Amino acid sequence: MMEETKKTWNEKEPILKIENMSIRFTQYDRGMHQTELPVIRNLDVEVRQGEMVAVVGSSGSGKSLLAHGVMGVLPYNAVMGGTITYCGEELTQKRIEKIRGKEIVLVPQSTVYLNPLMKIGPQIRKGDKGIQARNRLREIFRRYELKEEVEDLYPFELSGGMNRRVLISTAMIESPKLVIADEPTPGLDLKVAKRAMAHFRELADMGAGVLVITHDLELALEVADRIVVFYAGTTVEEAAVEDFEREETLRHPYTKALWRAMPKHGFQFIKGTQPYVKDLPAGCPFAPRCSQRTGACSQEIPWRELRGGSVRCIHAE
Amino acid sequence: MENKMNLEIKNVSYRYREDGRQILENFSLTVSQKERVGLAAPSGYGKTTLCKLLSGYLKPDQGEILLDGKPLASYRGYCPVQMIWQQPEFAVNPRLRMREVLLEGDAVEERVIHELGIEPDWLNRFPGELSGGELQRFSIARALGKRTKFLIADEISTMLDLITQSQIWNFLLKEVERRGIGLIAVSHNQELMDWVCTRQISLEKQGP
């Protein structure tokens, strides 16, 4: 399992480091007229061993593309920029193709990724009939409260929630070093959602790096170590979970607005909605809704370290 | 007549057709137009089924659902009890422009559309061209027609970010207050329910 990891990599360094990632789509509208949609403009994330990092953003903010970009499964009309480093070495297309599904696994968002024509057991074991694979599967099923009979069923015979647990199981069977979970909890009731998150937490505690992409900040705060806040294609803040205990310890105006919108912090709201990719302002994407906006906000905003976290805002201090 | 209507569920039982599972047994609940009632229960206890029964999408096997003392099914045309669904993607016709989606409602006021933060530009789009939060604003507007007396909100903000959730609920609370619309809300988020509801009921105690 470890053959891909170079000995030069220091285990204190991040397992995964994404710097300045951008993903844009080329589209044709009206005949030969070509347009470019920069769905991700500036994304920076680091995941260390034994750590669970949550990238939190609202639906439609393009955050799923982050997972597809790392796994090397972007569609043909997408262009990715920036650098992805895995265990101290650049993660090239050739390299990811070798290790994905083994060292790096993706738990996809939707259960349509299951093969509808294959029974659950063989699907998770990837055809491995050995006693070891069978025992490992039993153990995983017990953890996820799936009955043994489920092995002999097809995906269409299971409920939505059960299929989600099957999806997680397909990733767990490999003992991966890095797990990327794309929106792992929609459609699960709170108890099951918490349990799903807790299982990802367990993986981190056993030493894997876990990157969870989610819209649910409150749930992420219960299990993750660090939160990366994603807004309209840009990471605006990276903060420790403890920083969310008080508004003052947060850094970006958008993160603070999220904090104030929690029912337990007064249920306040700011007006407006996230801008569309094609209507993005230059510079800070949050500027049109921000009370601290100045002229300088329309320039390129650097990602900088601040009070043990990171922020992309010139006014944060 | 203002604010005097009750929505009554009287000894209602309901069993799933598919697997024969008994979901509600002899369940009763009365909600006035002044109330905002929260329903809580783990999944599988029939919260969504109860919502569908209350808004006329399902008929009970036994018992009655009464609005203002008359069976809900006896109201012809527009149903005064309107449901808002968890996933708006499945609650709007994908082939209609949003302008036409709103016309399915009962003379939805311009004011409601504006206060929900719906931008004029969105009206010309199809549902597939809007985000979940934007779509949910439309399905709320559509449910707030002229003759709406009760609103059933089934996990309407679960899939939304915190700011959109807060925008939508702050608007809804103001709107039901202003128009004297009764509200029944389902959510797993206890803090949200504490904020929104005047009374909370656990279906768990009734048993499935």
Side-chain angles (χ1 to χ4, degrees):
Chain A
M1 202 74 60
M2 302 294 175
E3 71 271 14
E4 276 301 313
T5 314
K6 292 288 183 294
K7 286 162 196 77
T8 51
W9 176 61
N10 175 350
E11 298 200 342
K12 292 201 177 80
E13 292 295 306
I15 291 188
L16 179 74
K17 186 171 186 177
I18 302 174
E19 287 166 287
N20 210 15
M21 177 195 259
S22 68
I23 295 177
R24 58 181 200 280
F25 283 83
T26 315
Q27 287 186 328
Y28 284 96
D29 61 10
R30 293 203 191 109
M32 295 302 286
H33 186 70
Q34 214 181 40
T35 53
E36 291 218 321
L37 282 181
V39 181
I40 293 184
R41 287 204 301 185
N42 285 299
L43 187 143
D44 293 80
V45 178
E46 280 182 24
V47 185
R48 283 158 211 278
Q49 249 187 335
E51 183 185 54
M52 183 171 180
V53 178
V55 174
V56 179
S58 65
S59 68
S61 60
K63 59 194 190 306
S64 291
L65 285 172
L66 151 65
H68 297 167
V70 175
M71 299 305 282
V73 292
L74 288 170
Y76 71 95
N77 61 335
V79 182
M80 184 162 71
T83 44
I84 305 175
T85 315
Y86 172 68
C87 292
E89 212 183 308
E90 194 182 340
L91 189 63
T92 57
Q93 184 68 25
K94 210 171 138 200
R95 188 157 173 238
I96 184 65
E97 282 173 14
K98 250 201 260 171
I99 58 177
R100 70 184 170 204
K102 302 183 186 85
E103 282 190 35
I104 304 183
V105 297
L106 171 67
V107 182
Q109 181 170 17
S110 161
T111 52
V112 301
Y113 289 85
L114 289 171
N115 182 344
L117 301 178
M118 203 170 169
K119 285 183 177 172
I120 300 297
Q123 179 155 193
I124 297 178
R125 287 184 271 110
K126 303 192 176 87
D128 188 343
K129 290 181 187 144
I131 190 81
Q132 224 178 338
R134 282 181 188 277
N135 285 341
R136 174 120 181 96
L137 183 64
R138 297 261 154 89
E139 185 192 315
I140 291 171
F141 267 28
R142 262 199 304 279
R143 216 191 271 171
Y144 289 87
E145 293 179 26
L146 290 164
K147 295 200 181 99
E148 269 179 40
E149 298 90 88
V150 170
E151 286 187 42
D152 275 322
L153 300 175
Y154 290 96
F156 79 91
E157 296 177 285
L158 304 183
S159 72
M162 284 164 93
N163 270 323
R164 288 220 61 85
R165 283 176 274 160
V166 167
L167 260 188
I168 299 172
S169 307
T170 57
M172 297 313 114
I173 198 105
E174 291 283 353
S175 318
K177 272 172 90 81
L178 175 67
V179 180
I180 303 177
D182 185 9
E183 200 72 82
T185 58
L188 301 183
D189 79 274
L190 186 64
K191 206 173 114 215
V192 185
K194 277 188 179 164
R195 206 181 304 136
M197 284 291 203
H199 288 308
F200 287 116
R201 175 74 254 174
E202 244 173 66
L203 281 167
D205 293 340
M206 289 186 306
V210 178
L211 180 65
V212 176
I213 300 167
T214 178
H215 76 285
D216 197 332
L217 174 60
E218 285 163 308
L219 194 53
L221 285 174
E222 288 188 31
V223 284
D225 298 303
R226 284 186 300 121
I227 305 285
V228 175
V229 182
F230 189 68
Y231 183 82
T234 301
T235 46
V236 295
E237 175 162 356
E238 180 249 294
V241 161
E242 301 81 63
D243 294 347
F244 281 82
E245 279 162 22
R246 286 178 18 244
E247 188 183 342
E248 300 79 61
T249 42
L250 294 171
R251 298 161 188 85
H252 197 279
Y254 175 64
T255 319
K256 294 183 185 204
L258 281 176
W259 189 91
R260 290 193 302 270
M262 290 184 196
K264 65 177 167 195
H265 298 145
F267 214 27
Q268 297 168 53
F269 62 93
I270 52 164
K271 286 196 173 169
T273 48
Q274 273 195 31
Y276 275 91
V277 173
K278 59 179 170 52
D279 311 322
L280 277 181
C284 177
F286 185 65
R289 300 169 78 184
C290 186
S291 59
Q292 294 176 50
R293 172 187 66 234
T294 59
C297 294
S298 59
Q299 283 153 24
E300 187 78 11
I301 317 283
W303 180 243
R304 62 186 167 102
E305 284 180 21
L306 181 68
R307 292 188 267 114
S310 300
V311 69
R312 201 185 303 278
C313 171
I314 48 173
H315 299 296
E317 49 193 37
Chain B
M1 275 312 287
E2 197 81 353
N3 277 5
K4 294 267 173 62
M5 274 190 192
N6 282 343
L7 182 60
E8 286 172 85
I9 306 151
K10 271 186 154 170
N11 311 316
V12 160
S13 297
Y14 188 82
R15 187 187 284 276
Y16 278 147
R17 300 291 173 274
E18 295 81 20
D19 58 5
R21 205 148 55 89
Q22 190 77 37
I23 287 299
L24 294 167
E25 189 144 27
N26 224 1
F27 179 73
S28 296
L29 172 69
T30 302
V31 180
S32 86
Q33 274 185 301
K34 288 184 185 140
E35 283 187 293
R36 303 189 298 270
V37 175
L39 293 177
S43 74
Y45 273 73
K47 289 172 303 212
T48 298
T49 304
L50 183 57
C51 288
K52 288 184 190 167
L53 284 161
L54 279 168
S55 43
Y57 290 102
L58 294 174
K59 295 210 165 58
D61 296 335
Q62 279 159 43
E64 300 181 288
I65 292 167
L66 304 173
L67 176 65
D68 203 18
K70 288 177 289 199
L72 188 61
S74 72
Y75 287 80
R76 295 281 157 219
Y78 188 77
C79 182
V81 184
Q82 286 285 314
M83 175 166 173
I84 309 168
W85 303 70
Q86 176 176 357
Q87 284 175 292
E89 293 84 353
F90 303 136
V92 297
N93 184 337
R95 297 189 181 182
L96 292 184
R97 287 186 193 274
M98 297 318 296
R99 186 186 304 287
E100 298 163 293
V101 169
L102 285 180
L103 289 177
E104 295 179 320
D106 179 35
V108 178
E109 284 176 72
E110 202 61 45
R111 178 187 60 81
V112 169
I113 296 169
H114 177 74
E115 285 180 20
L116 270 167
I118 291 174
E119 299 197 8
D121 171 47
W122 302 350
L123 294 168
N124 295 321
R125 297 194 194 166
F126 289 102
E129 299 169 321
L130 293 172
S131 74
E134 288 158 358
L135 271 184
Q136 192 62 296
R137 293 170 205 256
F138 279 93
S139 67
I140 291 169
R142 184 178 59 179
L144 282 168
K146 208 170 57 191
R147 283 171 286 175
T148 301
K149 306 294 179 206
F150 281 89
L151 214 51
I152 316 291
D154 185 12
E155 294 275 14
I156 61 168
S157 56
T158 312
M159 306 296 282
L160 308 179
D161 65 274
L162 287 162
I163 292 173
T164 309
Q165 163 171 283
S166 172
Q167 286 176 337
I168 281 177
W169 274 113
N170 276 290
F171 163 77
L172 267 180
L173 291 178
K174 208 168 66 179
E175 186 70 10
V176 297
E177 172 90 45
R178 167 191 183 130
R179 288 168 56 184
I181 293 174
L183 178 78
I184 296 173
V186 172
S187 170
H188 65 255
N189 186 334
Q190 190 56 48
E191 283 155 0
L192 177 66
M193 294 293 254
D194 292 344
W195 191 278
V196 166
C197 299
T198 53
R199 172 158 70 108
Q200 296 184 43
I201 287 164
S202 166
L203 282 184
E204 205 162 1
K205 294 197 186 94
Q206 324 275 340

